[in-house]
């Protein structure tokens, strides 16, 4: 994942915190505890305290923070003519969600059905969006219909949902984690000022590095691009006159092992990085580990695992995402199934495959962090 920062002044690279972004990560941890073993206690207690109505509404839209981490949680990065800075409160972040133009809101909210063309702009015909949503289930299909028919109504519905989450649990959670996140942002800002971007990026994650092209230098002094080591490929620029030049780095207490990069065309790039790395349980037996690692030796199967770790997918969706034929996908899936790493279920005329996160966790934290990063 590459962010072109050629000619970007250092002061346009900012470290800051965002209540809405952290709410998105908290909702993901609540819905996908298998991705976050270190947060199981918090997730169990929070889920037990939810009122049935709020729990039902969260279930209704859960794919916005499970299938993808929707850009609706980073609206300040997409406001045309804005400064790209996050709000100081959840209400301020939600006000910026209200300010997103309709096309951008629709694109961000439809990522869960249109993720494959994300790098070229999340666009889709109504028919194609509904077709993709149908393959994921009736809940996703119903939400997509509502979204396409009444985007303003769905936007207002989401705002009420996030406000109710704040009242139910997130206000207390934010009070607990915000000081640590703010301290991390201040530390990295000072590191950037005193020691430069390369040092600050190294402190973000070993997967984030500064790359320079030979003797070429910008007038401001040093860099060309930020590279994030992920299994997904993408590129964007931090110099965009529509949304203003800059890159934002947002820390998260709930994010590990996910290291997310907003790289949609026309949006300000955002790197959403975890603070802290909880340890996973011990590894599986040597015999089982060897069997599973043999299954994962192929780079395409690694890429399939990344997709299947986030959402159940059909063979056709996987073929379209990775540009290979359905028979090739089937052959790779067969190997993963023999290793008991992928589960399969039928939903109507669709057969959905998904990574068994608990099984993969036993392989070790390095593999799990890589496919979920």
């Amino acid at each position: 994942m590459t962010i072109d920062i050629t000619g970007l002044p250092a002061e346009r690279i900012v470290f800051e915190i965002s209540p809405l972004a952290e709410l998105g990560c908290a909702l993901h941890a609540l819905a996908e505890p298998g991705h976050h073993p270190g947060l199981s206690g918090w997730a169990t207690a929070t889920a037990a305290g939810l009122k049935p109505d709020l729990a039902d509404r969260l279930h209704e839209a859960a794919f916005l923070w499970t299938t993808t981490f929707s850009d609706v949680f980073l609206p300040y990065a997409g406001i045309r003519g804005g400064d790209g800075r996050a709000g100081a409160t959840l209400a301020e972040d939600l006000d910026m969600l209200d300010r997103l133009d309709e096309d951008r809101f629709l694109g961000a909210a439809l990522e869960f059905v249109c993720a494959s063309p994300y790098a070229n702009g999340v666009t889709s015909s109504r028919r194609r969006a509904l077709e993709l949503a149908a393959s994921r289930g009736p809940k996703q299909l119903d939400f997509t219909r509502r979204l396409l028919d009444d985007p303003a109504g769905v936007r207002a519905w989401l705002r009420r949902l996030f406000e109710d989450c704040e009242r139910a649990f997130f206000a207390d959670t934010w009070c607990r984690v915000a000081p640590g996140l703010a301290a991390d942002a201040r530390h990295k800002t000072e590191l950037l000022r005193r020691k430069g971007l390369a040092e600050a990026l190294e402190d973000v994650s070993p997967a984030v590095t500064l790359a320079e092209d030979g003797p070429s230098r910008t007038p401001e002094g040093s860099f060309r691009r930020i590279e994030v080591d992920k299994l997904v490929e993408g590129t964007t620029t931090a110099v965009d006159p529509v949304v203003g030049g800059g890159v934002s780095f947002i820390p998260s207490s709930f994010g590990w092992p996910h290291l997310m990069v907003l790289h949609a065309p026309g949006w300000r790039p955002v790197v959403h990085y975890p603070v802290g790395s909880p340890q996973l349980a011990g590894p599986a037996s040597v015999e089982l580990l060897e069997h599973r690692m043999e299954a994962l030796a192929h780079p395409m199967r690694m890429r399939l695992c990344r997709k299947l770790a986030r959402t159940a997918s059909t063979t056709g969706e996987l073929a379209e995402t990775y540009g290979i034929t359905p028979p090739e996908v089937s052959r790779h899936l067969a190997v993963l199934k023999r290793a008991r790493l992928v589960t399969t279920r039928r939903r109507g005329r669709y057969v959905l495959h998904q990574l068994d996160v608990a099984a993969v966790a036993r392989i070790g934290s390095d593999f799990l962090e890589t496919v979920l990063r």
Side-chain angles (χ1 to χ4, degrees):
M1 190 75 69
T2 301
I3 303 172
D4 183 358
I5 54 173
T6 303
L8 185 70
E11 61 268 20
R12 301 295 294 173
I13 298 173
V14 299
F15 292 86
E16 59 183 352
I17 64 176
S18 163
L20 183 56
E22 190 68 350
L23 174 58
C25 286
L27 290 174
H28 174 77
L30 193 62
E32 295 281 8
H35 290 192
H36 306 271
L39 297 171
S40 58
W42 174 86
T44 300
T46 301
L50 293 178
K51 293 182 178 179
D53 173 69
L54 179 56
D56 288 344
R57 285 186 289 148
L58 287 175
H59 181 68
E60 190 175 344
F63 37 83
L64 294 177
W65 48 86
T66 54
T67 302
T68 61
F69 184 80
S70 173
D71 292 344
V72 300
F73 292 106
L74 304 166
Y76 32 84
I79 296 176
R80 300 177 190 274
D83 61 6
R85 304 300 296 267
T89 65
L90 183 64
E92 290 183 12
D93 277 350
L94 292 175
D95 287 344
M96 283 185 267
L97 179 60
D98 290 340
R99 289 172 55 196
L100 271 183
D101 64 53
E102 186 172 290
D103 287 344
R104 293 197 167 201
F105 171 72
L106 278 172
L110 281 173
E111 286 172 42
F112 72 96
V113 296
C114 305
S116 57
Y118 178 86
N120 299 317
V122 184
T123 58
S124 178
S125 68
R126 177 186 177 92
R127 179 178 178 180
R128 181 59 175 158
L130 292 173
E131 180 181 292
L132 290 168
S135 72
R136 302 197 179 279
K139 180 181 64 173
Q140 290 89 330
L141 179 59
D142 178 67
F143 185 89
T144 302
R145 282 175 175 155
R146 288 170 50 204
L147 182 62
L148 293 172
D149 291 340
D150 184 17
V154 171
R155 191 185 326 218
W157 182 87
L158 282 175
R159 176 164 188 145
R160 289 192 299 271
L161 176 64
F162 297 152
E163 289 171 340
D164 288 347
C165 286
E166 182 179 35
R167 286 187 285 269
F169 67 89
F170 186 68
D172 290 340
T173 299
W174 181 245
C175 285
R176 176 172 57 83
V177 304
L181 297 179
D184 183 85
R186 286 194 301 270
H187 167 69
K188 288 180 173 56
T189 299
E190 183 65 11
L191 201 59
L192 174 64
R193 185 185 68 82
R194 290 174 50 245
K195 296 189 175 182
L197 181 57
E199 293 272 0
L201 295 180
E202 183 179 356
D203 202 53
V204 168
S205 168
V208 184
T209 56
L210 176 65
E212 298 178 313
D213 291 335
S216 176
R217 294 293 183 271
T218 67
E220 288 74 19
S222 59
F223 41 78
R224 295 294 304 277
R225 63 187 182 276
I226 296 169
E227 294 185 345
V228 185
D229 183 22
K230 292 171 65 72
L231 283 172
V232 64
E233 295 183 0
T235 185
T236 189
T237 178
V239 184
D240 190 320
V242 177
V243 292
V247 182
S248 295
F249 288 82
I250 310 290
S252 171
S253 289
F254 288 87
W256 187 90
H258 308 301
L259 176 61
M260 296 171 286
V261 182
L262 189 164
H263 63 287
W267 289 58
R268 178 188 179 99
V270 178
V271 179
H272 201 185
Y273 65 93
V275 175
S277 302
Q279 296 299 310
L280 296 175
S285 67
V286 172
E287 181 182 1
L288 182 57
L289 181 61
E290 287 177 346
H291 184 56
R292 287 177 167 168
M293 292 305 289
E294 287 174 1
L296 295 168
H298 196 286
M300 179 53 69
R301 288 198 283 272
M302 288 280 286
R303 288 175 172 80
L304 293 175
C305 283
R306 183 184 188 279
K307 175 76 170 176
L308 296 175
R310 284 167 163 74
T311 181
S313 301
T314 65
T315 299
E317 287 176 327
L318 293 170
E320 180 178 354
T321 298
Y322 293 104
I324 60 178
T325 67
E328 287 178 283
V329 172
S330 296
R331 286 193 290 272
H332 287 306
L333 289 175
V335 175
L336 293 170
K337 289 175 191 175
R338 284 196 296 272
R340 292 181 292 164
L341 294 174
V342 167
T343 60
T344 298
R345 69 181 187 274
R346 181 173 291 277
R347 177 174 286 144
R349 63 190 179 93
Y350 300 99
V351 177
L352 300 176
H353 312 282
Q354 190 159 28
L355 190 71
D356 185 339
V357 174
V360 174
R362 289 191 290 271
I363 296 174
S365 59
D366 286 345
F367 177 78
L368 184 61
E369 182 174 353
T370 299
V371 297
L372 292 178
R373 184 185 295 155

